[in-house]
mmCIF file with all atom_site columns, all heavy atoms in Angstrom:
data_model
loop_
_atom_site.group_PDB
_atom_site.id
_atom_site.type_symbol
_atom_site.label_atom_id
_atom_site.label_alt_id
_atom_site.label_comp_id
_atom_site.label_asym_id
_atom_site.label_entity_id
_atom_site.label_seq_id
_atom_site.pdbx_PDB_ins_code
_atom_site.Cartn_x
_atom_site.Cartn_y
_atom_site.Cartn_z
_atom_site.occupancy
_atom_site.B_iso_or_equiv
_atom_site.pdbx_formal_charge
_atom_site.auth_seq_id
_atom_site.auth_comp_id
_atom_site.auth_asym_id
_atom_site.auth_atom_id
_atom_site.pdbx_PDB_model_num
ATOM 1   N N   . ILE A 1 194 ? 16.429 33.922 -34.694 1.00 98.00 ? 194 ILE A N   1
ATOM 2   C CA  . ILE A 1 194 ? 16.354 33.970 -33.246 1.00 98.00 ? 194 ILE A CA  1
ATOM 3   C C   . ILE A 1 194 ? 17.708 33.612 -32.647 1.00 98.00 ? 194 ILE A C   1
ATOM 4   O O   . ILE A 1 194 ? 18.259 32.541 -32.896 1.00 98.00 ? 194 ILE A O   1
ATOM 5   C CB  . ILE A 1 194 ? 15.282 32.977 -32.707 1.00 98.00 ? 194 ILE A CB  1
ATOM 6   C CG1 . ILE A 1 194 ? 13.926 33.267 -33.344 1.00 98.00 ? 194 ILE A CG1 1
ATOM 7   C CG2 . ILE A 1 194 ? 15.195 33.054 -31.183 1.00 98.00 ? 194 ILE A CG2 1
ATOM 8   C CD1 . ILE A 1 194 ? 12.860 32.227 -33.007 1.00 98.00 ? 194 ILE A CD1 1
ATOM 9   N N   . GLY A 1 195 ? 18.268 34.538 -31.871 1.00 98.00 ? 195 GLY A N   1
ATOM 10  C CA  . GLY A 1 195 ? 19.516 34.275 -31.175 1.00 98.00 ? 195 GLY A CA  1
ATOM 11  C C   . GLY A 1 195 ? 19.266 33.466 -29.915 1.00 98.00 ? 195 GLY A C   1
ATOM 12  O O   . GLY A 1 195 ? 18.156 33.437 -29.382 1.00 98.00 ? 195 GLY A O   1
ATOM 13  N N   . PHE A 1 196 ? 20.322 32.800 -29.440 1.00 98.00 ? 196 PHE A N   1
ATOM 14  C CA  . PHE A 1 196 ? 20.193 32.021 -28.209 1.00 98.00 ? 196 PHE A CA  1
ATOM 15  C C   . PHE A 1 196 ? 21.478 32.207 -27.395 1.00 98.00 ? 196 PHE A C   1
ATOM 16  O O   . PHE A 1 196 ? 22.580 31.929 -27.852 1.00 98.00 ? 196 PHE A O   1
ATOM 17  C CB  . PHE A 1 196 ? 20.005 30.528 -28.514 1.00 98.00 ? 196 PHE A CB  1
ATOM 18  C CG  . PHE A 1 196 ? 19.690 29.712 -27.291 1.00 98.00 ? 196 PHE A CG  1
ATOM 19  C CD1 . PHE A 1 196 ? 18.384 29.582 -26.858 1.00 98.00 ? 196 PHE A CD1 1
ATOM 20  C CD2 . PHE A 1 196 ? 20.681 29.072 -26.578 1.00 98.00 ? 196 PHE A CD2 1
ATOM 21  C CE1 . PHE A 1 196 ? 18.071 28.834 -25.730 1.00 98.00 ? 196 PHE A CE1 1
ATOM 22  C CE2 . PHE A 1 196 ? 20.395 28.318 -25.442 1.00 98.00 ? 196 PHE A CE2 1
ATOM 23  C CZ  . PHE A 1 196 ? 19.078 28.209 -25.019 1.00 98.00 ? 196 PHE A CZ  1
ATOM 24  N N   . VAL A 1 197 ? 21.320 32.725 -26.166 1.00 97.00 ? 197 VAL A N   1
ATOM 25  C CA  . VAL A 1 197 ? 22.447 32.935 -25.267 1.00 97.00 ? 197 VAL A CA  1
ATOM 26  C C   . VAL A 1 197 ? 22.329 31.945 -24.125 1.00 97.00 ? 197 VAL A C   1
ATOM 27  O O   . VAL A 1 197 ? 21.437 32.052 -23.287 1.00 97.00 ? 197 VAL A O   1
ATOM 28  C CB  . VAL A 1 197 ? 22.493 34.371 -24.719 1.00 97.00 ? 197 VAL A CB  1
ATOM 29  C CG1 . VAL A 1 197 ? 23.773 34.571 -23.914 1.00 97.00 ? 197 VAL A CG1 1
ATOM 30  C CG2 . VAL A 1 197 ? 22.418 35.381 -25.851 1.00 97.00 ? 197 VAL A CG2 1
ATOM 31  N N   . SER A 1 198 ? 23.229 30.958 -24.117 1.00 95.00 ? 198 SER A N   1
ATOM 32  C CA  . SER A 1 198 ? 23.166 29.890 -23.107 1.00 95.00 ? 198 SER A CA  1
ATOM 33  C C   . SER A 1 198 ? 24.103 30.186 -21.947 1.00 95.00 ? 198 SER A C   1
ATOM 34  O O   . SER A 1 198 ? 24.850 31.162 -21.944 1.00 95.00 ? 198 SER A O   1
ATOM 35  C CB  . SER A 1 198 ? 23.554 28.566 -23.768 1.00 95.00 ? 198 SER A CB  1
ATOM 36  O OG  . SER A 1 198 ? 23.403 27.502 -22.841 1.00 95.00 ? 198 SER A OG  1
ATOM 37  N N   . GLY A 1 199 ? 24.049 29.325 -20.931 1.00 90.00 ? 199 GLY A N   1
ATOM 38  C CA  . GLY A 1 199 ? 24.966 29.392 -19.816 1.00 90.00 ? 199 GLY A CA  1
ATOM 39  C C   . GLY A 1 199 ? 26.249 28.673 -20.171 1.00 90.00 ? 199 GLY A C   1
ATOM 40  O O   . GLY A 1 199 ? 26.659 28.609 -21.343 1.00 90.00 ? 199 GLY A O   1
ATOM 41  N N   . PHE A 1 200 ? 26.891 28.090 -19.165 1.00 90.00 ? 200 PHE A N   1
ATOM 42  C CA  . PHE A 1 200 ? 28.115 27.368 -19.396 1.00 90.00 ? 200 PHE A CA  1
ATOM 43  C C   . PHE A 1 200 ? 27.862 26.161 -20.307 1.00 90.00 ? 200 PHE A C   1
ATOM 44  O O   . PHE A 1 200 ? 26.858 25.472 -20.162 1.00 90.00 ? 200 PHE A O   1
ATOM 45  C CB  . PHE A 1 200 ? 28.728 26.895 -18.079 1.00 90.00 ? 200 PHE A CB  1
ATOM 46  C CG  . PHE A 1 200 ? 29.195 28.020 -17.204 1.00 90.00 ? 200 PHE A CG  1
ATOM 47  C CD1 . PHE A 1 200 ? 28.673 28.189 -15.926 1.00 90.00 ? 200 PHE A CD1 1
ATOM 48  C CD2 . PHE A 1 200 ? 30.176 28.904 -17.636 1.00 90.00 ? 200 PHE A CD2 1
ATOM 49  C CE1 . PHE A 1 200 ? 29.109 29.218 -15.110 1.00 90.00 ? 200 PHE A CE1 1
ATOM 50  C CE2 . PHE A 1 200 ? 30.606 29.946 -16.823 1.00 90.00 ? 200 PHE A CE2 1
ATOM 51  C CZ  . PHE A 1 200 ? 30.075 30.112 -15.555 1.00 90.00 ? 200 PHE A CZ  1
ATOM 52  N N   . GLU A 1 201 ? 28.806 25.895 -21.218 1.00 86.00 ? 201 GLU A N   1
ATOM 53  C CA  . GLU A 1 201 ? 28.630 24.812 -22.174 1.00 86.00 ? 201 GLU A CA  1
ATOM 54  C C   . GLU A 1 201 ? 28.549 23.448 -21.505 1.00 86.00 ? 201 GLU A C   1
ATOM 55  O O   . GLU A 1 201 ? 27.908 22.523 -22.043 1.00 86.00 ? 201 GLU A O   1
ATOM 56  C CB  . GLU A 1 201 ? 29.768 24.812 -23.207 1.00 86.00 ? 201 GLU A CB  1
ATOM 57  C CG  . GLU A 1 201 ? 29.728 25.977 -24.178 1.00 86.00 ? 201 GLU A CG  1
ATOM 58  C CD  . GLU A 1 201 ? 30.726 25.836 -25.292 1.00 86.00 ? 201 GLU A CD  1
ATOM 59  O OE1 . GLU A 1 201 ? 30.543 24.926 -26.141 1.00 86.00 ? 201 GLU A OE1 1
ATOM 60  O OE2 . GLU A 1 201 ? 31.688 26.609 -25.338 1.00 86.00 ? 201 GLU A OE2 1
ATOM 61  N N   . ASP A 1 202 ? 29.211 23.277 -20.361 1.00 87.00 ? 202 ASP A N   1
ATOM 62  C CA  . ASP A 1 202 ? 29.244 21.963 -19.732 1.00 87.00 ? 202 ASP A CA  1
ATOM 63  C C   . ASP A 1 202 ? 28.143 21.741 -18.702 1.00 87.00 ? 202 ASP A C   1
ATOM 64  O O   . ASP A 1 202 ? 28.123 20.742 -17.997 1.00 87.00 ? 202 ASP A O   1
ATOM 65  C CB  . ASP A 1 202 ? 30.605 21.724 -19.077 1.00 87.00 ? 202 ASP A CB  1
ATOM 66  C CG  . ASP A 1 202 ? 30.938 22.738 -17.992 1.00 87.00 ? 202 ASP A CG  1
ATOM 67  O OD1 . ASP A 1 202 ? 30.245 23.780 -17.922 1.00 87.00 ? 202 ASP A OD1 1
ATOM 68  O OD2 . ASP A 1 202 ? 31.893 22.507 -17.225 1.00 87.00 ? 202 ASP A OD2 1
ATOM 69  N N   . TRP A 1 203 ? 27.198 22.680 -18.590 1.00 92.00 ? 203 TRP A N   1
ATOM 70  C CA  . TRP A 1 203 ? 26.059 22.481 -17.708 1.00 92.00 ? 203 TRP A CA  1
ATOM 71  C C   . TRP A 1 203 ? 24.955 21.722 -18.437 1.00 92.00 ? 203 TRP A C   1
ATOM 72  O O   . TRP A 1 203 ? 24.576 22.083 -19.574 1.00 92.00 ? 203 TRP A O   1
ATOM 73  C CB  . TRP A 1 203 ? 25.518 23.816 -17.206 1.00 92.00 ? 203 TRP A CB  1
ATOM 74  C CG  . TRP A 1 203 ? 26.310 24.423 -16.106 1.00 92.00 ? 203 TRP A CG  1
ATOM 75  C CD1 . TRP A 1 203 ? 27.608 24.140 -15.759 1.00 92.00 ? 203 TRP A CD1 1
ATOM 76  C CD2 . TRP A 1 203 ? 25.886 25.464 -15.198 1.00 92.00 ? 203 TRP A CD2 1
ATOM 77  N NE1 . TRP A 1 203 ? 28.005 24.909 -14.699 1.00 92.00 ? 203 TRP A NE1 1
ATOM 78  C CE2 . TRP A 1 203 ? 26.977 25.740 -14.338 1.00 92.00 ? 203 TRP A CE2 1
ATOM 79  C CE3 . TRP A 1 203 ? 24.696 26.169 -15.051 1.00 92.00 ? 203 TRP A CE3 1
ATOM 80  C CZ2 . TRP A 1 203 ? 26.898 26.688 -13.328 1.00 92.00 ? 203 TRP A CZ2 1
ATOM 81  C CZ3 . TRP A 1 203 ? 24.615 27.123 -14.038 1.00 92.00 ? 203 TRP A CZ3 1
ATOM 82  C CH2 . TRP A 1 203 ? 25.702 27.382 -13.193 1.00 92.00 ? 203 TRP A CH2 1
ATOM 83  N N   . LEU A 1 204 ? 24.420 20.700 -17.801 1.00 94.00 ? 204 LEU A N   1
ATOM 84  C CA  . LEU A 1 204 ? 23.369 19.899 -18.396 1.00 94.00 ? 204 LEU A CA  1
ATOM 85  C C   . LEU A 1 204 ? 22.142 20.736 -18.714 1.00 94.00 ? 204 LEU A C   1
ATOM 86  O O   . LEU A 1 204 ? 21.527 20.579 -19.767 1.00 94.00 ? 204 LEU A O   1
ATOM 87  C CB  . LEU A 1 204 ? 22.998 18.755 -17.449 1.00 94.00 ? 204 LEU A CB  1
ATOM 88  C CG  . LEU A 1 204 ? 22.034 17.691 -17.973 1.00 94.00 ? 204 LEU A CG  1
ATOM 89  C CD1 . LEU A 1 204 ? 22.619 17.001 -19.192 1.00 94.00 ? 204 LEU A CD1 1
ATOM 90  C CD2 . LEU A 1 204 ? 21.741 16.673 -16.869 1.00 94.00 ? 204 LEU A CD2 1
ATOM 91  N N   . SER A 1 205 ? 21.794 21.667 -17.838 1.00 94.00 ? 205 SER A N   1
ATOM 92  C CA  . SER A 1 205 ? 20.627 22.516 -18.078 1.00 94.00 ? 205 SER A CA  1
ATOM 93  C C   . SER A 1 205 ? 20.823 23.360 -19.323 1.00 94.00 ? 205 SER A C   1
ATOM 94  O O   . SER A 1 205 ? 19.885 23.601 -20.089 1.00 94.00 ? 205 SER A O   1
ATOM 95  C CB  . SER A 1 205 ? 20.342 23.410 -16.871 1.00 94.00 ? 205 SER A CB  1
ATOM 96  O OG  . SER A 1 205 ? 21.495 24.170 -16.533 1.00 94.00 ? 205 SER A OG  1
ATOM 97  N N   . GLY A 1 206 ? 22.058 23.827 -19.557 1.00 94.00 ? 206 GLY A N   1
ATOM 98  C CA  . GLY A 1 206 ? 22.329 24.643 -20.747 1.00 94.00 ? 206 GLY A CA  1
ATOM 99  C C   . GLY A 1 206 ? 22.197 23.840 -22.017 1.00 94.00 ? 206 GLY A C   1
ATOM 100 O O   . GLY A 1 206 ? 21.588 24.291 -22.992 1.00 94.00 ? 206 GLY A O   1
ATOM 101 N N   . SER A 1 207 ? 22.778 22.644 -22.033 1.00 94.00 ? 207 SER A N   1
ATOM 102 C CA  . SER A 1 207 ? 22.678 21.808 -23.239 1.00 94.00 ? 207 SER A CA  1
ATOM 103 C C   . SER A 1 207 ? 21.240 21.366 -23.479 1.00 94.00 ? 207 SER A C   1
ATOM 104 O O   . SER A 1 207 ? 20.785 21.289 -24.630 1.00 94.00 ? 207 SER A O   1
ATOM 105 C CB  . SER A 1 207 ? 23.595 20.601 -23.130 1.00 94.00 ? 207 SER A CB  1
ATOM 106 O OG  . SER A 1 207 ? 23.261 19.802 -22.007 1.00 94.00 ? 207 SER A OG  1
ATOM 107 N N   . ASP A 1 208 ? 20.494 21.103 -22.402 1.00 96.00 ? 208 ASP A N   1
ATOM 108 C CA  . ASP A 1 208 ? 19.090 20.702 -22.570 1.00 96.00 ? 208 ASP A CA  1
ATOM 109 C C   . ASP A 1 208 ? 18.248 21.868 -23.121 1.00 96.00 ? 208 ASP A C   1
ATOM 110 O O   . ASP A 1 208 ? 17.373 21.651 -23.976 1.00 96.00 ? 208 ASP A O   1
ATOM 111 C CB  . ASP A 1 208 ? 18.507 20.262 -21.229 1.00 96.00 ? 208 ASP A CB  1
ATOM 112 C CG  . ASP A 1 208 ? 18.963 18.875 -20.831 1.00 96.00 ? 208 ASP A CG  1
ATOM 113 O OD1 . ASP A 1 208 ? 19.565 18.175 -21.660 1.00 96.00 ? 208 ASP A OD1 1
ATOM 114 O OD2 . ASP A 1 208 ? 18.719 18.470 -19.665 1.00 96.00 ? 208 ASP A OD2 1
ATOM 115 N N   . ARG A 1 209 ? 18.506 23.076 -22.641 1.00 96.00 ? 209 ARG A N   1
ATOM 116 C CA  . ARG A 1 209 ? 17.725 24.217 -23.129 1.00 96.00 ? 209 ARG A CA  1
ATOM 117 C C   . ARG A 1 209 ? 18.081 24.533 -24.578 1.00 96.00 ? 209 ARG A C   1
ATOM 118 O O   . ARG A 1 209 ? 17.204 24.891 -25.387 1.00 96.00 ? 209 ARG A O   1
ATOM 119 C CB  . ARG A 1 209 ? 17.936 25.428 -22.231 1.00 96.00 ? 209 ARG A CB  1
ATOM 120 C CG  . ARG A 1 209 ? 17.332 25.231 -20.853 1.00 96.00 ? 209 ARG A CG  1
ATOM 121 C CD  . ARG A 1 209 ? 17.590 26.402 -19.916 1.00 96.00 ? 209 ARG A CD  1
ATOM 122 N NE  . ARG A 1 209 ? 17.307 26.030 -18.532 1.00 96.00 ? 209 ARG A NE  1
ATOM 123 C CZ  . ARG A 1 209 ? 17.432 26.827 -17.499 1.00 96.00 ? 209 ARG A CZ  1
ATOM 124 N NH1 . ARG A 1 209 ? 17.857 28.074 -17.669 1.00 96.00 ? 209 ARG A NH1 1
ATOM 125 N NH2 . ARG A 1 209 ? 17.154 26.397 -16.278 1.00 96.00 ? 209 ARG A NH2 1
ATOM 126 N N   . LEU A 1 210 ? 19.352 24.405 -24.938 1.00 96.00 ? 210 LEU A N   1
ATOM 127 C CA  . LEU A 1 210 ? 19.741 24.587 -26.339 1.00 96.00 ? 210 LEU A CA  1
ATOM 128 C C   . LEU A 1 210 ? 19.085 23.526 -27.202 1.00 96.00 ? 210 LEU A C   1
ATOM 129 O O   . LEU A 1 210 ? 18.597 23.828 -28.305 1.00 96.00 ? 210 LEU A O   1
ATOM 130 C CB  . LEU A 1 210 ? 21.264 24.525 -26.480 1.00 96.00 ? 210 LEU A CB  1
ATOM 131 C CG  . LEU A 1 210 ? 21.802 24.633 -27.917 1.00 96.00 ? 210 LEU A CG  1
ATOM 132 C CD1 . LEU A 1 210 ? 21.364 25.942 -28.574 1.00 96.00 ? 210 LEU A CD1 1
ATOM 133 C CD2 . LEU A 1 210 ? 23.325 24.499 -27.928 1.00 96.00 ? 210 LEU A CD2 1
ATOM 134 N N   . ALA A 1 211 ? 18.997 22.302 -26.706 1.00 96.00 ? 211 ALA A N   1
ATOM 135 C CA  . ALA A 1 211 ? 18.332 21.237 -27.461 1.00 96.00 ? 211 ALA A CA  1
ATOM 136 C C   . ALA A 1 211 ? 16.866 21.555 -27.699 1.00 96.00 ? 211 ALA A C   1
ATOM 137 O O   . ALA A 1 211 ? 16.330 21.322 -28.782 1.00 96.00 ? 211 ALA A O   1
ATOM 138 C CB  . ALA A 1 211 ? 18.484 19.908 -26.722 1.00 96.00 ? 211 ALA A CB  1
ATOM 139 N N   . GLY A 1 212 ? 16.204 22.115 -26.683 1.00 97.00 ? 212 GLY A N   1
ATOM 140 C CA  . GLY A 1 212 ? 14.804 22.488 -26.841 1.00 97.00 ? 212 GLY A CA  1
ATOM 141 C C   . GLY A 1 212 ? 14.641 23.607 -27.852 1.00 97.00 ? 212 GLY A C   1
ATOM 142 O O   . GLY A 1 212 ? 13.692 23.597 -28.681 1.00 97.00 ? 212 GLY A O   1
#
Side-chain angles (χ1 to χ4, degrees):
I194 304 173
F196 188 86
V197 186
S198 185
F200 293 120
E201 290 189 69
D202 60 346
W203 281 19
L204 188 60
S205 56
S207 60
D208 283 351
R209 292 177 195 180
L210 177 59

